[in-house]
Amino acid sequence: MAWNKKHLLDIQSLGADEIVTVLDTARAFKAVGERAIKKVPALRGKTVVNLFVEPSTRTRISFELAAQRLTADVVNFTAEASSLKKGETLKDTARNLEALNADFIVMRHSASGAPHFLSRFLRSSVINAGDGAHEHPTQALLDAFTIREKRGKIQGLNVTILGDILYSRVARSNIWALTKLGARVTLCGPATLVPRVFEKMGCRVTYNVEEAIADADVINLLRIQHERQRKTMFPSIGEYTSLFGLTKARLALTKPDALIMHPGPINRGVEIDSEIADSARSVILDQVTNGLAVRMAVLFLINGGQGPQGVTA
Amino acid sequence: MPQSIPVLNAAAMRRALTRIAHEIAERNEISSEVVLVGIQRGGVFLAGRLAAFLQSIWNHPVPVASLDVGMHRDDLNQTAAPNMHPTVIPFDITGKTVILVDDVLFSGRTARAALDALNDFGRARRIQLAVLVDRGHRELPIKADFVGKNVPTASKERVEVRLEEEGAPDEVTLQRL
């Protein structure tokens, strides 16, 4: 189906058919990355600004490379080295970037809703690269792509998201995407980090990790985000590992073909046993490769005009 | 009411493709150098059919690839992004004679995009263009080497190619609005 969204702000407002369009398009772009010449001219002459007001390495590099492989020009803008530090407002910073004729603004911000705010007054397209604890749409799209690639489908699969759900934009975007595509989502972690309110998003919530992983086709592990939480959420990292970490003993309880996913960066020995992270069951590095393809697809689709699809003859 | 005028039926389509295959064989003496690249979607099925005809002429299989030109189009920010189909070129085209295959030749912009896209896969010895229907109205200096049927059209009319591989009986029609 034809894509006609100007921005990618969240998964919540996407339809299942739009998500599938991104995944289908990403498949074509993954193939580009496997060629000797890994570049296509689709965004020639376009400018992509990475506006990262919160630190990030992998997402920024992934978007940067995605833009370059589409032949766009890329400017990286990080908060530490910017006039935001000198007191400029976010709105003024964004307007200045737009005055340089940026076509796309890829934004990471610690405040939920910051990309939505920009999209209300910018002519540029805004892509949310993670806003606070709200959403991280391209992460959910790459996770869905990886599941579909490895399993051939998403409909009907049991997906367990294990860890810090409360502070996780990855969890929220994944829940939206997976439930829209027909998966059954189970959330598990310390009760303080997995409030029952998530049941309203259509998820099963359990605090028993063995129960959460037993019937899972996919186990998506989330990092404990030290930077986002107060010390009171759970007693210690050691206790977290013993109660919820994916150890070899727990792995033995899972379906033999269950996929192990993690959005990175992983904390070896905390939420995941080091050997499991490197095992054949882990698709963590596939997620990184697929992230590039998905971000190329998102830039490509958004770059499309608002008109009907062209005739190809 | 749109009017549907038959251009080719199944038997005529088969004859046209057989003739194109013989013309390809006549033009290209070194059969081992020839590869077929179909342009998604319709061109891919037609390339497969031409490969079968050529195999019966040459008595050896002819490599077939599929190419999606969506990433190389020149109208990407004028229309909604095109649906992408796989590009699968499982061989090196460097030094080969590439026969590009498409269903309909119209403005020539798809063929131009295909020429651009092929560049990224290697340096072909030569590239030739085979189309089932040439409907005129070229916007670029591009010409087909092998044509199934020339069909005079008005620019607003549509040429519809239906193929068995997509679940419809083989047929080419002109849709007059």
Side-chain angles (χ1 to χ4, degrees):
Chain A
M1 72 157 270
W3 175 277
N4 55 22
K5 286 219 155 53
K6 184 173 192 280
H7 310 288
L8 177 64
L9 302 174
D10 50 44
I11 300 290
Q12 185 179 1
S13 62
L14 295 185
D17 50 352
E18 288 173 311
I19 296 172
V20 169
T21 297
V22 176
L23 304 189
D24 289 345
T25 307
R27 202 160 42 186
F29 283 103
K30 183 166 184 182
V32 173
E34 291 159 0
R35 297 178 195 160
I37 295 178
K38 301 173 179 57
K39 206 175 174 91
V40 292
L43 262 65
R44 196 164 66 92
K46 298 298 172 79
T47 302
V48 177
V49 175
N50 282 328
L51 173 55
F52 278 60
V53 186
E54 188 188 62
S56 156
T57 321
R58 80 192 56 219
T59 305
R60 185 184 59 71
I61 288 175
S62 184
F63 267 111
E64 184 173 351
L65 203 47
Q68 288 174 345
R69 288 191 173 173
L70 293 165
T71 322
D73 296 306
V74 193
V75 179
N76 287 310
F77 180 103
T78 48
E80 297 79 42
S82 76
S83 43
L84 284 167
K85 281 271 186 256
K86 300 175 190 165
E88 188 176 55
T89 66
L90 178 61
K91 187 172 186 174
D92 285 331
T93 302
R95 282 228 158 105
N96 274 275
L97 296 173
E98 190 173 59
L100 298 170
N101 294 321
D103 299 287
F104 299 86
I105 294 185
V106 178
M107 190 195 205
R108 162 70 59 94
H109 200 285
S110 57
S112 298
H116 301 68
F117 168 68
L118 289 196
S119 73
R120 283 200 284 275
F121 58 84
L122 289 183
R123 290 186 311 278
S124 317
S125 287
V126 179
I127 297 172
N128 183 359
D131 59 329
H134 175 234
E135 282 224 37
H136 190 350
T138 56
Q139 179 70 44
L141 292 167
L142 78 89
D143 288 344
F145 182 92
T146 305
I147 295 170
R148 197 179 75 161
E149 181 182 57
K150 299 287 174 189
R151 281 310 170 77
K153 60 168 187 173
I154 290 172
Q155 175 86 35
L157 293 184
N158 295 323
V159 180
T160 293
I161 306 176
L162 180 57
D164 169 0
I165 308 295
L166 180 60
Y167 291 97
S168 174
R169 53 193 171 215
V170 174
R172 280 173 185 77
S173 286
N174 260 283
I175 293 166
W176 285 119
L178 292 167
T179 51
K180 281 171 196 274
L181 296 175
R184 286 185 295 274
V185 179
T186 298
L187 307 177
C188 180
T192 46
L193 293 175
V194 190
R196 289 262 173 215
V197 68
F198 277 95
E199 287 172 347
K200 286 187 181 159
M201 290 177 80
C203 305
R204 176 171 71 134
V205 172
T206 174
Y207 303 111
N208 178 335
V209 68
E210 282 78 20
E211 182 191 325
I213 62 177
D215 63 346
D217 298 298
V218 176
I219 301 170
N220 199 347
L221 302 167
L222 300 183
R223 186 174 62 93
I224 295 301
Q225 306 193 60
H226 312 285
E227 72 273 22
R228 260 184 239 287
Q229 48 193 243
R230 285 155 294 170
K231 296 252 184 277
T232 53
M233 301 313 271
F234 58 90
S236 73
I237 294 286
E239 189 193 282
Y240 179 85
T241 305
S242 72
L243 287 177
F244 298 103
L246 190 63
T247 58
K248 274 175 269 184
R250 290 203 175 103
L251 188 71
L253 304 173
T254 63
K255 290 189 183 179
D257 58 349
L259 300 177
I260 310 298
M261 304 178 73
H262 193 304
I266 59 176
N267 290 322
R268 286 175 184 268
V270 179
E271 66 269 6
I272 184 167
D273 179 276
S274 191
E275 275 181 45
I276 299 175
D278 301 327
S279 73
R281 298 273 293 277
S282 154
V283 294
I284 297 173
L285 294 177
D286 299 83
Q287 288 174 268
V288 177
T289 306
N290 293 340
L292 184 53
V294 161
R295 289 177 179 118
M296 288 173 79
V298 166
L299 288 166
F300 179 76
L301 289 169
I302 288 180
N303 180 56
Q306 309 296 305
Q309 255 176 310
V311 280
T312 47
Chain B
M1 268 296 279
Q3 198 187 347
S4 179
I5 298 149
V7 174
L8 290 173
N9 61 22
M13 192 187 290
R14 187 183 162 80
R15 283 196 301 275
L17 289 171
T18 314
R19 177 175 51 73
I20 290 176
H22 279 97
E23 286 174 7
I24 291 172
E26 186 181 9
R27 177 92 71 90
N28 298 287
E29 281 177 17
I30 309 172
S31 62
S32 60
E33 280 182 1
V34 174
V35 299
L36 297 172
V37 175
I39 299 176
Q40 290 280 13
R41 297 260 305 160
V44 174
F45 303 126
L46 295 174
R49 295 193 198 182
L50 285 174
F53 289 130
L54 284 168
Q55 177 164 2
S56 66
I57 298 168
W58 283 332
N59 293 316
H60 66 77
V62 182
V64 187
S66 57
L67 178 68
D68 189 296
V69 303
M71 300 171 196
H72 292 79
R73 294 172 64 93
D74 60 8
D75 59 353
L76 284 173
N77 51 10
Q78 290 166 30
T79 62
N83 287 331
M84 301 297 299
H85 301 287
T87 291
V88 183
I89 305 185
F91 44 78
D92 185 6
I93 64 166
T94 301
K96 300 286 185 186
T97 295
V98 173
I99 316 281
L100 266 179
V101 184
D102 203 359
D103 46 11
V104 180
L105 178 59
F106 184 22
S107 65
R109 289 177 190 268
T110 300
R112 185 215 56 83
L115 293 173
D116 251 15
L118 276 183
N119 256 340
D120 291 349
F121 290 89
R123 184 176 186 276
R125 174 89 174 83
R126 59 178 72 80
I127 300 177
Q128 298 165 355
L129 177 62
V131 298
L132 182 60
V133 173
D134 182 349
R135 60 166 295 187
H137 302 283
R138 214 75 74 240
E139 294 168 4
L140 296 170
I142 279 173
K143 182 174 165 294
D145 298 273
F146 312 102
V147 178
K149 189 173 172 74
N150 285 294
V151 181
T153 61
S155 56
K156 279 189 175 170
E157 291 167 344
R158 282 176 46 83
V159 173
E160 265 201 27
V161 177
R162 294 175 187 277
L163 298 173
E164 267 178 6
E165 290 89 336
E166 294 176 298
D170 284 347
E171 189 186 26
V172 179
T173 54
L174 183 62
Q175 306 292 322
R176 196 160 278 171
L177 299 175

